Amino acid sequence: MKKKLVSVLLTAAMVATMAAGCGSSDGGSGDGGSDEGGSGKEMTYWSMWNSTESQAKVIQEAADAYEEETGIHINIEWKGRDMKTLIGTALEAGEDIDLFDDDYMRVVMNTKDYLVDLSTLEGEEEFESHVMPVILDKAKSWGDGKLYVVPYQVYTTGVWYNKDMWEEAGLTEDDKPTTFEEFKEVCQKIKDAGYNPLTCNSDSVNLIYGFQMARYIGQEAVLECFNNGDWANEPAALQAAEDIAELVDAGYFSPNAPAQYPDGQNEIGFGESCMVLNASWIPNEINVNTQADLEFGFFPWPSVEGGVDGAEASMVGAQGYGINKESDMQQEAFDFATMIATGDYDLEMASSVNSIPSDTENTEWPAAIADAEPYFKEMTKAYDWAVGLETNADFTPIINENVVKLIKGESTPDEFISAISAAQ
């Protein structure tokens, strides 16, 4: 790396062992920066995490070390998952924000007009060498070849299941389904064992519909249908809805599904449900939220008869930092963001929250998500989050609302297609 970035990363890593612990409440990162050696500068960072989460503790530790190294105090405002609805309005209103984070696709797709092109900053070229190619290529594809986001906390997506329940249902590693028909057979065995086969959160149901539709026609065709509002003329759109309705009618979803986040996924930790389709942060969240100590298995969302995609295609991505182009601390914000995304802090983040390391030099996965690693290495097609069904901030809630109704049994597949067609 260029000297400035190397200095921040290496010095901060050494200082981290001496830093004065984690910060504070949701209002900010504490009272640092008041020491006599401080620079008097402050950086404002809006975070997608809550202050009590493990991610926040790692970030706060890094912020303390960064301040010790540079004298710059980072004022962290812990916004939680509301970030995705707050940040666009805040940037448009000219809020004093230097740095923020969210899902890296949303950062670029929804706020690119407010972001700095990172190639204008010192150390960007070297930073790129630390980013997984599949993540870097995706991020640049949304930015018309330019990088506008610093990816961190990489994830992959598929079906996570409670290994104890799986075994109680008489299932083994060899029974991991690869086709939708096999998936239904697995669901029936889990139901016969006295558990809900599937659970889900209401805010992530677009994953289920997106995956199922993409298994038939691939992401590009899903996006074409989505962008053109051509739901009524795309057979796979109806077929995917019919497949989900079949799972509902067979009683394979939890009777509470879709539940509010995180109540749906927490059913696994409470011993009620066995499987959930979501990203690789799920095992950690469930164990933390429910005080459980579960072992999780993993398999990709299954293929469908006559479809074009299978286990080689998955949603893969990361959280990401965006830097406000109106900020007068662009370089400093970039240095801090890359400090989180590489080296020791990347390793600490991965071990603290059981996530995939984002730095290509950090190669060991935490044991909690290791079951997904072989599939990740074989993946050749990277879907967007929800297979692109969340690339339109105005239409995403409509898709979500109607998939929720479908899973609750409040609408038929035909009514589902009619509703989203009329809305778009």
Side-chain angles (χ1 to χ4, degrees), residues 103-106 108-109 134-135 137-143 155-157 206-211 214-215 218-220 222-224 226-227 279 281 309 313-318 379 381-392:
D103 180 88
Y104 83 142
M105 182 182 77
R106 283 197 295 265
V108 182
M109 297 292 283
V134 66
I135 300 295
D137 291 347
K138 270 291 181 184
K140 285 190 171 184
S141 73
W142 302 317
Y155 62 79
T156 190
T157 312
N206 289 354
L207 277 67
I208 300 174
Y209 183 68
F211 250 126
R215 288 310 195 224
Q219 175 171 280
E220 186 175 343
V222 171
L223 286 172
E224 184 176 349
F226 176 73
N227 292 329
W281 55 71
D309 284 346
S314 180
M315 294 172 214
V316 59
M379 189 192 67
K381 293 181 181 179
Y383 288 163
D384 296 340
W385 182 252
V387 198
L389 297 183
E390 297 196 357
T391 55
N392 182 325

Side-chain angles (χ1 to χ4, degrees), residues 191-210:
K191 183 181 179 184
D192 291 343
Y195 300 112
N196 305 316
L198 281 168
T199 185
C200 60
N201 301 317
S202 58
D203 67 349
S204 58
V205 293
N206 289 354
L207 277 67
I208 300 174
Y209 183 68

Side-chain angles (χ1 to χ4, degrees), residues 61-352:
E61 181 183 342
D64 292 342
Y66 181 85
E67 181 173 358
E68 185 75 16
E69 156 70 6
T70 66
I72 298 171
H73 176 63
I74 302 177
N75 178 35
I76 307 176
E77 298 190 23
W78 306 107
K79 299 296 184 181
R81 303 310 185 274
D82 289 338
M83 175 65 75
K84 61 185 177 183
T85 59
L86 295 174
I87 190 61
T89 302
L91 291 170
E92 185 177 1
E95 287 267 7
D96 183 17
I97 302 168
D98 298 295
L99 180 71
F100 68 94
D101 57 1
D102 192 8
D103 180 88
Y104 83 142
M105 182 182 77
R106 283 197 295 265
V107 169
V108 182
M109 297 292 283
N110 295 346
T111 63
K112 184 174 68 174
D113 290 345
Y114 302 97
L115 303 181
V116 64
D117 172 4
L118 300 184
S119 68
T120 63
L121 303 178
E122 183 180 357
E124 187 271 347
E125 185 176 349
E126 174 62 23
F127 170 68
E128 285 193 15
S129 70
H130 289 258
V131 184
M132 291 182 183
V134 66
I135 300 295
L136 185 63
D137 291 347
K138 270 291 181 184
K140 285 190 171 184
S141 73
W142 302 317
D144 298 322
K146 296 180 180 179
L147 187 64
Y148 287 94
V149 63
V150 174
Y152 77 100
Q153 199 189 31
V154 172
Y155 62 79
T156 190
T157 312
V159 179
W160 300 90
Y161 63 86
N162 180 329
K163 282 189 174 182
D164 289 339
M165 287 185 188
W166 187 267
E167 292 173 4
E168 285 183 42
L171 297 165
T172 69
E173 284 281 315
D174 294 336
D175 293 312
K176 290 183 179 183
T178 60
T179 68
F180 192 61
E181 291 304 312
E182 292 172 351
F183 180 67
K184 289 185 288 185
E185 292 172 7
V186 164
C187 286
Q188 187 60 52
K189 289 183 179 180
I190 294 170
K191 183 181 179 184
D192 291 343
Y195 300 112
N196 305 316
L198 281 168
T199 185
C200 60
N201 301 317
S202 58
D203 67 349
S204 58
V205 293
N206 289 354
L207 277 67
I208 300 174
Y209 183 68
F211 250 126
Q212 191 67 3
M213 188 173 170
R215 288 310 195 224
Y216 284 106
I217 59 176
Q219 175 171 280
E220 186 175 343
V222 171
L223 286 172
E224 184 176 349
C225 178
F226 176 73
N227 292 329
N228 297 330
D230 204 23
W231 306 100
N233 296 315
E234 174 50 71
L238 177 60
Q239 185 62 60
E242 290 176 344
D243 291 344
I244 293 171
E246 184 178 359
L247 298 176
V248 173
D249 293 342
Y252 294 155
F253 278 100
S254 163
N256 302 315
Q260 291 293 314
Y261 169 86
D263 294 343
Q265 67 192 49
N266 285 352
E267 289 183 359
I268 296 177
F270 292 132
E272 300 165 1
S273 298
C274 181
M275 300 184 289
V276 63
L277 171 64
N278 214 301
S280 44
W281 55 71
I282 280 289
N284 183 72
E285 287 191 353
I286 291 172
N287 279 331
V288 169
N289 291 343
T290 65
Q291 304 289 301
D293 187 21
L294 302 179
E295 289 189 29
F296 283 86
F298 175 91
F299 58 87
W301 189 253
S303 62
V304 297
E305 186 176 357
V308 300
D309 284 346
E312 80 287 351
S314 180
M315 294 172 214
V316 59
Q319 312 311 330
Y321 283 106
I323 299 170
N324 190 347
K325 68 181 182 182
E326 299 301 324
S327 168
D328 59 2
M329 303 187 75
Q330 295 175 7
Q331 184 66 52
E332 292 86 348
F334 177 71
D335 291 345
F336 177 68
T338 55
M339 182 174 165
I340 300 293
T342 62
D344 289 345
Y345 285 106
D346 173 53
L347 275 179
E348 187 175 348
M349 181 74 75
S351 62
S352 296

